[in-house]
Amino acid sequence: MFLKIALLIIFFAVMIAVGLIARRQATDVNGFVLGGRSVGPWLTAFAYGTSYFSAVVFIGYAGQFGWKYGLSSTWVGLGNAFIGSLLAWAIMGRRTRVMTHHLDAKTMPEFFGKRYESKSLRISASAIAFVFLIPYTASVYKGLSTLFGLAFNIDYRWCVIAMAILTAVYVILGGYMATAINDFIQGIIMLAGICAVIVAVLKGQGGFLAAIQKLSQIPVDTQNTTAALQNMAGPFVSFFGPDPINLLGVVILTSLGTWGLPQMVGKFYAIKSEKAVKTGTIVSTFFAVIISGGCYFLGGFGRLFNTPAIHKGGEMTGALLYDNIIPQMLSTLPDILIGIVVVLVLSASMSTLSSLVLTSSSTLTLDVLKETICKKLDDKKTLMIMRILVLFFIVISVVIALNPPTFIAQLMGISWGALAGAFLSPFLYGLFWKKTTKASVWASFIFGVGITVINIFLKFMNPINCGAFAMIGGLIIVPIVSLISPKMKKENVEKMFVCYDKKVEVTAKTVLVENETEVQN
């Protein structure tokens, strides 16, 4: 217990120290929200990766989907790496940085307002972001509850409050730069921790091959198996698992979803240079392969451990308590490794929380208050309000987290489904396609949020598949509506896209030329 507490104290001290050091970068709105658009490649890459993965993935998703799909759940981690990181950086990174800088957009709602010349779009996008980032934040808190109960036997409420206070301190002090530096430190901890945990868990089962052998002998779970595959042998070690269709839904939600999440796309706004794009693409992809791939791979062995069940009134209901599967696996580890896991998951969660609260406060301040009732706010007062709203958002999320309504995976599915369902398509098309219209953005907002909210009450599909459906639907709706709705003024759109045609000089080590004498002349 002494060792675990010591690790936590060191962790907390480092986080606060970074916040104090980064204060000089957070003296104005641009510095507080984007770090002055001067964040280097490694910090940007780790900020992206650590904001992506939190206790939600390690405790909630890895536990639930590892149980349902076995080792095939590793496909989710690989999808996160190659779709959610590699393709996101390669397709969106450079264009996002160039156009948002050209439009002077600091948030995703501000991008919508300026790209589509609509203040109402900007305000609506801000409201959607603020509302649906709250359940995501609550799911992060919930992911830590069972883990802290395992390690310290501490009441969940005190854990939530302590995390909230720590997050508030270093975000308010140092803004984006503090979160980026802390994300780098936390990312290193996560990389080392997940590798150590996988090795220890498999060793406890007699090694990798012995664990595979045991897992292959577990019969089909008909409740979570596609009807056509209910007679298959060794379903949990098969290539695509017992339910490939629903597995695909998880891959789409957790991988493609990052393309439309404000706290993720916002990392591209702060890119410093071309080198940051190239390095960020490689580093964030490697990070995702290890962290996300490792988490889901670990979760795939969940059925080899005791099955946690939901209790009501002192009796077992027979329903699985998915959020306790990973903590149950970890309970067999030595204390030193449990301490490392606690710091690992705390690192992942703190980085995500700081990104969420910074995104929410900046969005509400810049896209709602300054556009409506506080139009004449100067930079200093805007920064003060932003810091106050950091506290406000944290308080709301803590209240929800103290009584979370459902499993982590479903809670996050609602958040990601609404946000990415509404934002992904108009943001992506807005970067590439000049003919995207304002009406198509409204259609995407209504469809993404509408189908998510309706599904909450009618439950016509699980939240994971609903979120994936909202994203795919938006990609189809936006071009169709754009072709039949009134077009934006051509000269205004051309002015927005002229940023991509600006000529820049680069060194020979960056770009090869055919005729070197022409360059010298």
Side-chain angles (χ1 to χ4, degrees):
M1 182 62 70
F2 173 79
L3 183 61
K4 288 182 281 190
I5 292 175
L7 286 172
L8 279 184
I9 292 174
I10 294 170
F11 176 82
F12 292 156
V14 170
M15 298 302 102
I16 294 174
V18 168
L20 291 168
I21 293 169
R23 278 188 304 172
R24 62 178 180 272
Q25 292 282 351
T27 55
D28 57 23
V29 171
N30 189 51
F32 188 79
V33 177
L34 298 176
R37 297 187 192 265
S38 61
V39 181
W42 284 83
L43 291 185
T44 302
F46 271 79
Y48 185 91
T50 54
S51 296
Y52 197 165
F53 309 115
S54 66
V56 174
V57 171
F58 189 77
I59 301 297
Y61 271 41
Q64 179 165 339
F65 299 123
W67 179 273
K68 287 184 175 182
Y69 309 125
L71 292 185
S72 66
S73 64
T74 308
W75 283 110
V76 182
L78 297 178
N80 293 171
F82 295 107
I83 300 174
S85 292
L86 178 64
L87 285 182
W89 274 83
I91 293 174
M92 298 176 65
R94 185 179 293 100
R95 277 186 171 257
T96 299
R97 171 61 173 83
V98 171
M99 184 171 276
T100 56
H101 184 69
H102 178 66
L103 298 177
D104 191 27
K106 300 178 182 66
T107 65
M108 184 179 277
E110 188 174 7
F111 171 84
F112 288 133
K114 293 183 175 180
R115 169 64 178 84
Y116 300 106
E117 300 178 325
S118 171
K119 182 185 292 186
S120 55
L121 269 180
R122 180 176 179 177
I123 294 172
S124 298
S126 177
I128 294 169
F130 187 81
V131 169
F132 286 98
L133 282 176
I134 291 175
Y136 186 17
T137 307
S139 70
V140 176
Y141 282 123
K142 190 174 188 294
L144 286 165
S145 62
T146 50
L147 188 64
F148 266 76
L150 164 68
F152 299 102
N153 197 25
I154 298 175
D155 190 293
Y156 167 48
R157 292 171 294 181
W158 294 113
C159 166
V160 169
I161 293 170
M163 275 195 63
I165 293 172
L166 180 61
T167 304
V169 168
Y170 82 76
V171 173
I172 289 173
L173 284 174
Y176 182 83
M177 186 58 75
T179 64
I181 296 172
N182 276 329
D183 287 349
F184 180 76
I185 297 170
Q186 292 158 354
I188 298 296
I189 296 171
M190 290 166 66
L191 286 171
I194 191 65
C195 294
V197 169
I198 291 173
V199 170
V201 168
L202 292 181
K203 186 178 180 181
Q205 292 294 319
F208 174 65
L209 294 179
I212 291 286
Q213 174 66 22
K214 293 177 185 177
L215 196 62
S216 69
Q217 295 172 355
I218 296 176
V220 169
D221 178 359
T222 55
Q223 183 180 356
N224 296 308
T225 303
T226 300
L229 301 176
Q230 289 187 357
N231 292 322
M232 73 185 300
F236 301 109
V237 294
S238 62
F239 196 65
F240 289 119
D243 191 1
I245 301 301
N246 282 316
L247 177 63
L248 179 62
V250 180
V251 173
I252 292 173
L253 176 76
T254 61
S255 302
L256 195 59
T258 60
W259 296 35
L261 296 178
Q263 76 277 13
M264 299 299 296
V265 176
K267 301 297 185 292
F268 298 143
Y269 293 27
I271 290 173
K272 181 179 181 180
S273 63
E274 173 66 19
K275 181 182 178 182
V277 176
K278 294 178 179 178
T279 305
T281 303
I282 297 169
V283 173
S284 66
T285 302
F286 171 79
F287 185 86
V289 168
I290 300 299
I291 299 299
S292 189
C295 286
Y296 287 105
F297 175 76
L298 178 66
F301 292 97
R303 288 178 180 263
L304 300 182
F305 296 81
N306 293 330
T307 307
I310 296 176
H311 289 71
K312 285 187 178 179
E315 296 183 359
M316 287 192 295
T317 64
L320 282 176
L321 189 56
Y322 292 118
D323 296 345
N324 272 11
I325 291 174
I326 296 296
Q328 187 74 34
M329 296 173 68
L330 301 178
S331 64
T332 60
L333 299 180
D335 281 348
I336 178 64
L337 274 180
I338 291 178
I340 291 173
V341 171
V342 170
V343 175
L344 181 162
V345 179
L346 188 60
S347 297
S349 302
M350 292 298 299
S351 58
T352 302
L353 283 174
S354 61
S355 179
L356 292 174
V357 299
L358 187 61
T359 299
S360 299
S361 66
S362 59
T363 293
L364 195 59
T365 304
L366 299 176
D367 302 314
V368 177
L369 296 181
K370 285 205 73 172
E371 290 297 304
T372 54
I373 59 177
C374 303
K375 294 181 179 180
K376 296 183 179 180
L377 277 180
D378 60 25
D379 202 68
K380 188 175 181 180
K381 291 180 180 177
T382 301
L383 190 58
M384 181 183 69
I385 291 176
M386 212 174 289
R387 284 175 162 141
I388 292 171
L389 287 175
V390 166
L391 283 175
F392 176 69
F393 181 83
I394 287 176
V395 169
I396 293 176
S397 60
V398 164
V399 170
I400 294 176
L402 291 176
N403 187 27
T406 186
F407 290 129
I408 292 172
Q410 281 63 39
L411 200 61
M412 182 176 159
I414 292 170
S415 176
W416 279 42
L419 289 169
F423 294 159
L424 187 156
S425 300
F427 189 84
L428 184 62
Y429 283 114
L431 292 176
F432 286 88
W433 194 33
K434 297 178 182 179
K435 295 182 179 180
T436 312
T437 64
K438 181 166 65 175
S440 71
V441 182
W442 280 116
S444 182
F445 284 8
I446 294 169
F447 178 75
V449 173
I451 196 170
T452 303
V453 173
I454 291 171
N455 190 55
I456 291 173
F457 296 100
L458 299 183
K459 295 180 173 60
F460 53 85
M461 66 175 84
N462 73 59
I464 309 299
N465 289 343
C466 181
F469 179 71
M471 294 177 209
I472 300 299
L475 290 171
I476 299 170
I477 288 171
V478 168
I480 292 175
V481 175
S482 293
L483 292 174
I484 62 176
S485 57
K487 305 296 183 288
M488 295 179 62
K489 290 183 179 180
K490 186 176 180 179
E491 59 271 23
N492 292 353
V493 176
E494 291 296 334
K495 288 179 181 177
M496 296 176 194
F497 276 77
V498 74
C499 60
Y500 295 139
D501 300 322
K502 185 188 296 183
K503 293 184 178 181
V504 295
E505 293 184 0
V506 296
T507 59
K509 68 180 180 181
T510 305
V511 176
L512 294 173
V513 293
E514 293 182 8
N515 192 338
E516 294 186 4
T517 57
E518 290 183 5
V519 176
Q520 293 171 357
N521 294 335

Short mmCIF file of all heavy atoms in Angstrom, two decimals, residues 285-319:
data_model
loop_
_atom_site.label_atom_id
_atom_site.label_comp_id
_atom_site.label_asym_id
_atom_site.label_seq_id
_atom_site.Cartn_x
_atom_site.Cartn_y
_atom_site.Cartn_z
N THR A 285 0.51 6.52 -34.47
CA THR A 285 0.11 5.19 -34.95
C THR A 285 0.79 4.10 -34.13
O THR A 285 0.15 3.13 -33.70
CB THR A 285 0.45 5.02 -36.44
OG1 THR A 285 -0.19 6.05 -37.20
CG2 THR A 285 0.00 3.66 -36.94
N PHE A 286 2.10 4.25 -33.90
CA PHE A 286 2.83 3.30 -33.07
C PHE A 286 2.23 3.25 -31.67
O PHE A 286 2.02 2.17 -31.09
CB PHE A 286 4.31 3.69 -33.00
CG PHE A 286 5.12 2.91 -32.01
CD1 PHE A 286 5.56 1.63 -32.31
CD2 PHE A 286 5.42 3.45 -30.75
CE1 PHE A 286 6.30 0.90 -31.38
CE2 PHE A 286 6.15 2.73 -29.83
CZ PHE A 286 6.59 1.45 -30.14
N PHE A 287 1.93 4.41 -31.11
CA PHE A 287 1.35 4.49 -29.77
C PHE A 287 0.02 3.74 -29.72
O PHE A 287 -0.25 2.99 -28.78
CB PHE A 287 1.14 5.97 -29.41
CG PHE A 287 0.65 6.21 -28.01
CD1 PHE A 287 1.55 6.31 -26.96
CD2 PHE A 287 -0.70 6.34 -27.74
CE1 PHE A 287 1.10 6.54 -25.67
CE2 PHE A 287 -1.16 6.56 -26.45
CZ PHE A 287 -0.25 6.65 -25.41
N ALA A 288 -0.81 3.93 -30.74
CA ALA A 288 -2.13 3.29 -30.77
C ALA A 288 -2.02 1.78 -30.92
O ALA A 288 -2.79 1.02 -30.32
CB ALA A 288 -2.97 3.86 -31.91
N VAL A 289 -1.05 1.31 -31.72
CA VAL A 289 -0.86 -0.14 -31.89
C VAL A 289 -0.55 -0.78 -30.54
O VAL A 289 -1.12 -1.82 -30.16
CB VAL A 289 0.27 -0.44 -32.90
CG1 VAL A 289 0.66 -1.91 -32.84
CG2 VAL A 289 -0.18 -0.08 -34.31
N ILE A 290 0.36 -0.15 -29.78
CA ILE A 290 0.77 -0.72 -28.49
C ILE A 290 -0.34 -0.59 -27.45
O ILE A 290 -0.70 -1.57 -26.78
CB ILE A 290 2.05 -0.02 -27.97
CG1 ILE A 290 3.20 -0.18 -28.97
CG2 ILE A 290 2.44 -0.59 -26.60
CD1 ILE A 290 3.60 -1.60 -29.24
N ILE A 291 -0.90 0.60 -27.29
CA ILE A 291 -1.87 0.85 -26.22
C ILE A 291 -3.21 0.21 -26.52
O ILE A 291 -3.73 -0.61 -25.75
CB ILE A 291 -2.04 2.36 -25.96
CG1 ILE A 291 -0.71 2.98 -25.53
CG2 ILE A 291 -3.11 2.59 -24.89
CD1 ILE A 291 -0.13 2.41 -24.26
N SER A 292 -3.81 0.58 -27.64
CA SER A 292 -5.14 0.06 -27.95
C SER A 292 -5.08 -1.43 -28.32
O SER A 292 -5.87 -2.24 -27.82
CB SER A 292 -5.77 0.86 -29.09
OG SER A 292 -7.12 0.51 -29.27
N GLY A 293 -4.12 -1.78 -29.19
CA GLY A 293 -3.98 -3.19 -29.53
C GLY A 293 -3.69 -4.04 -28.30
O GLY A 293 -4.26 -5.13 -28.13
N GLY A 294 -2.84 -3.53 -27.42
CA GLY A 294 -2.51 -4.25 -26.18
C GLY A 294 -3.69 -4.41 -25.25
O GLY A 294 -3.91 -5.48 -24.66
N CYS A 295 -4.51 -3.35 -25.11
CA CYS A 295 -5.68 -3.40 -24.22
C CYS A 295 -6.69 -4.44 -24.69
O CYS A 295 -7.18 -5.26 -23.90
CB CYS A 295 -6.35 -2.03 -24.16
SG CYS A 295 -5.47 -0.80 -23.18
N TYR A 296 -7.02 -4.41 -25.98
CA TYR A 296 -8.01 -5.35 -26.50
C TYR A 296 -7.47 -6.78 -26.53
O TYR A 296 -8.22 -7.75 -26.32
CB TYR A 296 -8.49 -4.92 -27.88
CG TYR A 296 -9.40 -3.72 -27.85
CD1 TYR A 296 -8.93 -2.46 -28.24
CD2 TYR A 296 -10.71 -3.82 -27.41
CE1 TYR A 296 -9.76 -1.35 -28.19
CE2 TYR A 296 -11.54 -2.72 -27.36
CZ TYR A 296 -11.07 -1.48 -27.75
OH TYR A 296 -11.88 -0.39 -27.71
N PHE A 297 -6.20 -6.93 -26.82
CA PHE A 297 -5.57 -8.25 -26.78
C PHE A 297 -5.65 -8.82 -25.37
O PHE A 297 -6.01 -9.98 -25.18
CB PHE A 297 -4.11 -8.13 -27.24
CG PHE A 297 -3.33 -9.41 -27.12
CD1 PHE A 297 -3.50 -10.43 -28.04
CD2 PHE A 297 -2.41 -9.57 -26.10
CE1 PHE A 297 -2.78 -11.62 -27.93
CE2 PHE A 297 -1.67 -10.75 -25.98
CZ PHE A 297 -1.86 -11.78 -26.91
N LEU A 298 -5.35 -8.00 -24.37
CA LEU A 298 -5.45 -8.42 -22.98
C LEU A 298 -6.88 -8.80 -22.63
O LEU A 298 -7.14 -9.84 -22.01
CB LEU A 298 -4.96 -7.29 -22.07
CG LEU A 298 -5.03 -7.54 -20.56
CD1 LEU A 298 -4.07 -8.65 -20.16
CD2 LEU A 298 -4.71 -6.26 -19.79
N GLY A 299 -7.84 -7.95 -23.04
CA GLY A 299 -9.24 -8.22 -22.75
C GLY A 299 -9.73 -9.52 -23.36
O GLY A 299 -10.67 -10.15 -22.84
N GLY A 300 -9.10 -9.94 -24.47
CA GLY A 300 -9.52 -11.18 -25.12
C GLY A 300 -9.36 -12.42 -24.26
O GLY A 300 -9.99 -13.45 -24.52
N PHE A 301 -8.53 -12.33 -23.20
CA PHE A 301 -8.34 -13.47 -22.30
C PHE A 301 -9.24 -13.38 -21.06
O PHE A 301 -9.07 -14.15 -20.11
CB PHE A 301 -6.87 -13.53 -21.85
CG PHE A 301 -5.91 -13.88 -22.96
CD1 PHE A 301 -5.23 -12.88 -23.64
CD2 PHE A 301 -5.72 -15.19 -23.33
CE1 PHE A 301 -4.35 -13.19 -24.67
CE2 PHE A 301 -4.83 -15.52 -24.35
CZ PHE A 301 -4.15 -14.52 -25.03
N GLY A 302 -10.19 -12.47 -21.05
CA GLY A 302 -11.03 -12.24 -19.88
C GLY A 302 -11.80 -13.47 -19.41
O GLY A 302 -12.05 -13.64 -18.21
N ARG A 303 -12.18 -14.36 -20.33
CA ARG A 303 -12.97 -15.54 -19.96
C ARG A 303 -12.15 -16.58 -19.18
O ARG A 303 -12.74 -17.56 -18.68
CB ARG A 303 -13.58 -16.18 -21.20
CG ARG A 303 -14.72 -15.37 -21.79
CD ARG A 303 -15.28 -15.99 -23.05
NE ARG A 303 -16.37 -15.20 -23.59
CZ ARG A 303 -17.67 -15.44 -23.37
NH1 ARG A 303 -18.02 -16.46 -22.61
NH2 ARG A 303 -18.60 -14.68 -23.91
N LEU A 304 -10.86 -16.40 -19.08
CA LEU A 304 -10.04 -17.34 -18.31
C LEU A 304 -10.07 -17.02 -16.83
O LEU A 304 -9.48 -17.76 -16.02
CB LEU A 304 -8.59 -17.31 -18.81
CG LEU A 304 -8.36 -17.69 -20.28
CD1 LEU A 304 -6.87 -17.66 -20.59
CD2 LEU A 304 -8.96 -19.05 -20.61
N PHE A 305 -10.73 -15.94 -16.45
CA PHE A 305 -10.75 -15.52 -15.05
C PHE A 305 -12.18 -15.62 -14.51
O PHE A 305 -13.14 -15.83 -15.26
CB PHE A 305 -10.22 -14.09 -14.93
CG PHE A 305 -8.78 -13.96 -15.34
CD1 PHE A 305 -8.42 -13.87 -16.68
CD2 PHE A 305 -7.78 -13.97 -14.38
CE1 PHE A 305 -7.09 -13.77 -17.07
CE2 PHE A 305 -6.44 -13.87 -14.75
CZ PHE A 305 -6.10 -13.78 -16.09
N ASN A 306 -12.33 -15.45 -13.21
CA ASN A 306 -13.65 -15.52 -12.60
C ASN A 306 -14.59 -14.49 -13.23
O ASN A 306 -14.20 -13.36 -13.49
CB ASN A 306 -13.56 -15.28 -11.09
CG ASN A 306 -12.82 -16.40 -10.39
OD1 ASN A 306 -12.85 -17.55 -10.83
ND2 ASN A 306 -12.15 -16.06 -9.29
N THR A 307 -15.83 -14.88 -13.42
CA THR A 307 -16.81 -14.02 -14.08
C THR A 307 -17.50 -13.11 -13.06
O THR A 307 -18.25 -13.60 -12.21
CB THR A 307 -17.87 -14.86 -14.80
OG1 THR A 307 -17.24 -15.78 -15.66
CG2 THR A 307 -18.79 -13.96 -15.60
N PRO A 308 -17.28 -11.80 -13.12
CA PRO A 308 -18.00 -10.90 -12.21
C PRO A 308 -19.44 -10.72 -12.68
O PRO A 308 -19.71 -10.63 -13.87
CB PRO A 308 -17.22 -9.58 -12.34
CG PRO A 308 -16.59 -9.65 -13.69
CD PRO A 308 -16.35 -11.09 -14.00
N ALA A 309 -20.37 -10.72 -11.73
CA ALA A 309 -21.79 -10.59 -12.08
C ALA A 309 -22.42 -9.41 -11.34
O ALA A 309 -21.92 -8.95 -10.31
CB ALA A 309 -22.53 -11.88 -11.74
N ILE A 310 -23.53 -8.92 -11.87
CA ILE A 310 -24.25 -7.81 -11.26
C ILE A 310 -25.06 -8.32 -10.08
O ILE A 310 -25.75 -9.34 -10.18
CB ILE A 310 -25.18 -7.13 -12.29
CG1 ILE A 310 -24.35 -6.51 -13.41
CG2 ILE A 310 -26.06 -6.09 -11.63
CD1 ILE A 310 -25.16 -5.92 -14.52
N HIS A 311 -24.99 -7.61 -8.97
CA HIS A 311 -25.77 -7.96 -7.79
C HIS A 311 -26.85 -6.91 -7.56
O HIS A 311 -26.63 -5.72 -7.72
CB HIS A 311 -24.87 -8.02 -6.54
CG HIS A 311 -23.95 -9.19 -6.54
ND1 HIS A 311 -22.86 -9.26 -7.38
CD2 HIS A 311 -23.94 -10.33 -5.79
CE1 HIS A 311 -22.21 -10.40 -7.15
NE2 HIS A 311 -22.84 -11.06 -6.19
N LYS A 312 -28.02 -7.38 -7.20
CA LYS A 312 -29.11 -6.47 -6.81
C LYS A 312 -29.80 -7.07 -5.59
O LYS A 312 -30.24 -8.21 -5.61
CB LYS A 312 -30.12 -6.29 -7.96
CG LYS A 312 -29.61 -5.39 -9.07
CD LYS A 312 -30.70 -5.10 -10.10
CE LYS A 312 -30.17 -4.17 -11.18
NZ LYS A 312 -31.21 -3.88 -12.21
N GLY A 313 -29.89 -6.25 -4.56
CA GLY A 313 -30.55 -6.73 -3.35
C GLY A 313 -29.85 -7.93 -2.73
O GLY A 313 -30.48 -8.79 -2.12
N GLY A 314 -28.53 -8.01 -2.93
CA GLY A 314 -27.76 -9.10 -2.33
C GLY A 314 -27.77 -10.38 -3.13
O GLY A 314 -27.15 -11.36 -2.75
N GLU A 315 -28.48 -10.40 -4.27
CA GLU A 315 -28.54 -11.60 -5.10
C GLU A 315 -27.98 -11.32 -6.49
O GLU A 315 -28.14 -10.24 -7.03
CB GLU A 315 -29.99 -12.09 -5.23
CG GLU A 315 -30.59 -12.52 -3.90
CD GLU A 315 -32.00 -13.06 -4.09
OE1 GLU A 315 -32.47 -13.06 -5.25
OE2 GLU A 315 -32.61 -13.46 -3.09
N MET A 316 -27.34 -12.33 -7.07
CA MET A 316 -26.81 -12.19 -8.43
C MET A 316 -27.95 -12.24 -9.44
O MET A 316 -28.83 -13.08 -9.35
CB MET A 316 -25.78 -13.28 -8.72
CG MET A 316 -24.46 -13.09 -8.01
SD MET A 316 -23.16 -14.17 -8.64
CE MET A 316 -23.80 -15.77 -8.17
N THR A 317 -27.88 -11.34 -10.41
CA THR A 317 -28.92 -11.29 -11.43
C THR A 317 -28.61 -12.20 -12.61
O THR A 317 -29.47 -12.48 -13.43
CB THR A 317 -29.09 -9.87 -11.98
OG1 THR A 317 -27.86 -9.48 -12.64
CG2 THR A 317 -29.38 -8.87 -10.86
N GLY A 318 -27.36 -12.64 -12.72
CA GLY A 318 -26.96 -13.46 -13.86
C GLY A 318 -26.36 -12.63 -14.98
O GLY A 318 -25.74 -13.17 -15.89
N ALA A 319 -26.53 -11.31 -14.92
CA ALA A 319 -25.96 -10.42 -15.95
C ALA A 319 -24.49 -10.14 -15.63
O ALA A 319 -24.11 -10.02 -14.47
CB ALA A 319 -26.76 -9.12 -16.01
#
